[in-house]
Amino acid sequence: MREDVEDLEVLINKLREAPTKEIEILSDLMLFFSESLPLQLERSYYISKDPDYGLVFEDALVFSFVKLVGKALDGESEVLFLTKEGDFDVKRVLDALGDENVEIYFNSGECLQRVKDFLKRK
């Protein structure tokens, strides 16, 4: 219980520092997103607590945003996510990104090859 309280205190401090007002302004401007950015902030907290994802809060924020971009651009554009963070190499994360048509790469060479192959087709 003490650990949960400490985790909550850390989260509360991070949320206090978060530019919530700026996020709300940006979410009004980014009409192509189907979900508000403040909601993504809240959802990221819960994802960071789910052991099946295995993500810390900051990584959960990135994950939520990448999913949001994939969902928003579905059918309009290819979405490639390149990261050196091995934390994202988790089945639940990979499946969730795949469901939103996001391709994830952990190797820049593979990602660049994917871009080259795409450009050759065009």
Side-chain angles (χ1 to χ4, degrees):
M1 190 133 160
R2 175 170 278 145
E3 187 176 309
D4 287 339
V5 169
E6 289 171 2
D7 287 346
L8 281 173
E9 287 175 356
V10 169
L11 177 64
I12 289 167
N13 288 333
K14 286 182 181 182
L15 290 175
R16 281 187 185 136
E17 296 168 6
T20 306
K21 225 173 197 131
E22 287 81 358
I23 289 175
E24 287 173 4
I25 291 167
L26 285 174
S27 96
D28 290 339
L29 296 174
M30 294 188 222
L31 298 176
F32 63 90
F33 289 139
S34 61
E35 298 175 11
S36 72
L37 295 179
L39 177 62
Q40 293 305 311
L41 184 72
E42 196 173 304
R43 187 171 286 152
S44 297
Y45 168 74
Y46 292 106
I47 289 170
S48 72
K49 294 299 177 190
D50 187 333
D52 288 341
Y53 287 99
L55 298 174
V56 296
F57 180 67
E58 291 80 3
D59 289 344
L61 279 171
V62 171
F63 167 73
S64 292
F65 188 73
V66 170
K67 271 183 47 180
L68 191 62
V69 170
K71 188 174 189 176
L73 298 178
D74 185 29
E76 301 290 323
S77 183
E78 302 287 325
V79 179
L80 309 179
F81 175 46
L82 173 63
T83 180
K84 296 283 185 186
E85 282 286 324
D87 296 347
F88 292 100
D89 195 6
V90 175
K91 182 176 178 8
R92 182 119 185 235
V93 172
L94 298 173
D95 289 347
L97 290 176
D99 289 347
E100 299 300 340
N101 300 306
V102 174
E103 296 177 34
I104 186 167
Y105 292 90
F106 298 97
N107 177 293
S108 57
E110 290 175 5
C111 187
L112 285 173
Q113 186 59 50
R114 171 66 174 90
V115 171
K116 286 179 185 177
D117 292 345
F118 176 79
L119 292 174
K120 285 181 187 175
R121 291 190 320 231
K122 294 289 176 181

